[in-house]
Amino acid sequence: MASSSEKHDNVKDYYGKVLSDGSSGLKTNACSARAAPHPTVCAIIRTKVPSAVNERFYGCGNPIPLGIGGMDVLDLGSGCGRDSYVAAALAGPEGSVTGVDMTDELLEVARANVAPFAETLGYRPRLRFLAGYIEDIQAAGVEPESADLCISNCVVNLSPNKRAVLQGVFAALRPGGEFHFADMYADRVVPPELAENKVLHGEGLAGALCVPDFERMARAAGFAQPRVLDAKRIDVLDPALRELVGDTQYFSVTYRLFKPDGSKTIHTADTASAAAVYRGTVDGCEEKYVLDIHSSFEAGVSTPVDADTAAVLESSWLAKHFVVETLETSVNDKPDAAPTLVMLQSL
């Protein structure tokens, strides 16, 4: 069985050398299955991010929320830096972005293009790229409780120790912070013998977690109930790889994991039900804010929420954008949302 070091080396080689010409060499449609980014993000990508950075983008989702001005952002597996650059533009001169990656070829591109990016912004962004492993971000130079938001785009599936990744992110986030990330998941446990295939591993197929296993792992790390923001089916395009994976189905899922801040939480499972009013103050989402596939909020409208959602809205970085009120009547009798895996299998 390949060691963690050997798996890291395979990923470095795959993305640093094998895919040196960009995402066109990938053997799944993961990079094209994602939904189009928000128009604000599209405009940044088109007009501000250097072409050399855009050309080597390997993401399966859009893991950058709007409304992050002034926030400190951490990007795991930042690669050539496209998401870091977009986040830096959204965070503005008062915010900061730190990318962490282990592949020298990608870090070189990310670092080399900060100066021309600054010219398009009109100011020098607080943007840096650190060499290191996402399983040990503290060793790379990321301090505990130094980030308000952590993003990542189709990278966690490549890690040989996903539990360490989640624990490290939880430690790096300030209370009320969020891990907002897209990744590849499977509808069943991937057989261990597939993990030895270098191409399957590089493509993310061998390392994709089964959805229920991931959600249990996230809760064990300390995060609140995982929330799905977006999900798309991934097709394996290469016939040889498709034969190897058999009936296993793959999905790109954008999750939101919030780090609870107990000092600000009023509503718990034992308290009365609540309603939330969105202030309409997130730039680009003035009329409606989508928290996840089950929860959206029209500006100025009182919307009943369960205790878990109320706790997120009143204690996370989103708190300034919402007013949470206690209701006299209960909304806890509403049907539970279908488990994530059931939802994905219906796509």
Side-chain angles (χ1 to χ4, degrees):
M1 181 176 293
S3 67
S4 294
S5 177
E6 289 171 329
K7 290 182 178 180
H8 283 148
D9 289 342
N10 180 58
V11 172
K12 290 179 185 179
D13 183 71
Y14 200 72
Y15 287 90
K17 297 180 175 65
V18 176
L19 298 179
S20 59
D21 292 330
S23 60
S24 61
L26 290 169
K27 302 181 186 300
T28 74
N29 70 336
C31 286
S32 59
R34 64 186 183 276
H38 188 278
T40 299
V41 173
C42 288
I44 294 171
I45 294 170
R46 186 177 63 254
T47 65
K48 297 186 183 302
V49 178
S51 59
V53 171
N54 280 326
E55 287 168 0
R56 296 187 69 179
F57 171 67
Y58 308 109
C60 64
N62 304 297
I64 312 172
L66 300 181
I68 63 172
M71 291 173 59
D72 295 317
V73 182
L74 174 64
D75 184 5
L76 293 192
S78 50
C80 285
R82 199 201 75 170
D83 286 341
S84 293
Y85 279 71
V86 173
L90 293 172
E94 301 303 317
S96 72
V97 178
T98 298
V100 177
D101 204 273
M102 65 179 180
T103 305
D104 292 337
E105 293 90 340
L106 303 184
L107 285 167
E108 182 179 353
V109 175
R111 290 165 174 166
N113 285 277
V114 173
F117 178 59
E119 292 182 9
T120 69
L121 293 178
Y123 60 87
R124 180 78 179 184
R126 296 169 60 202
L127 173 61
R128 63 174 181 161
F129 294 95
L130 303 177
Y133 297 100
I134 63 173
E135 298 87 358
D136 193 359
I137 54 178
Q138 190 168 350
V142 178
E143 296 293 329
E145 296 193 1
S146 61
D148 303 300
L149 173 73
C150 180
I151 61 176
S152 184
N153 205 338
C154 213
V155 172
V156 177
N157 63 82
L158 300 172
S159 170
N161 190 345
K162 298 168 180 64
R163 183 171 283 103
V165 174
L166 291 171
Q167 292 170 341
V169 172
F170 190 85
L173 287 171
R174 298 182 178 112
E178 178 189 358
F179 189 15
H180 189 119
F181 72 113
D183 218 276
M184 190 182 296
Y185 297 90
D187 68 343
R188 65 198 70 189
V189 176
V190 177
E193 58 269 21
L194 294 185
E196 303 306 307
N197 185 297
K198 291 185 177 181
V199 176
L200 284 177
H201 182 240
E203 291 283 329
L205 302 173
L209 278 177
C210 181
V211 167
D213 290 345
F214 163 74
E215 293 190 351
R216 283 192 291 269
M217 193 179 294
R219 293 301 301 271
F223 289 102
Q225 179 63 39
R227 294 173 178 272
V228 174
L229 180 62
D230 182 65
K232 303 290 182 185
R233 186 179 292 274
I234 292 175
D235 296 322
V236 180
L237 305 177
D238 184 87
L241 295 188
R242 193 162 61 243
E243 183 176 354
L244 282 174
V245 300
D247 294 330
T248 302
Q249 300 294 312
Y250 291 91
F251 306 90
S252 166
V253 183
T254 300
Y255 271 105
R256 307 189 73 169
L257 304 182
F258 290 92
K259 180 174 181 175
D261 184 352
S263 68
K264 297 181 180 179
T265 300
I266 299 173
H267 295 87
T268 67
D270 298 325
T271 62
S273 299
V277 179
Y278 172 49
R279 298 178 184 271
T281 49
V282 174
D283 291 340
C285 305
E286 289 82 1
E287 295 184 2
K288 181 174 75 171
Y289 189 83
V290 178
L291 178 65
D292 57 46
I293 59 173
H294 301 298
S295 307
S296 62
F297 302 86
E298 302 287 341
V301 177
S302 181
T303 304
V305 294
D306 59 26
D308 287 340
T309 301
V312 166
L313 296 180
E314 67 190 354
S315 69
S316 74
W317 68 271
L318 292 170
K320 65 182 179 181
H321 301 294
F322 286 85
V323 176
V324 181
E325 308 164 327
T326 299
L327 292 180
E328 293 182 1
T329 57
S330 174
V331 296
N332 288 333
D333 293 333
K334 67 179 183 178
D336 292 335
T340 304
L341 183 57
V342 174
M343 180 274 294
L344 292 176
Q345 291 171 331
S346 69
L347 293 176

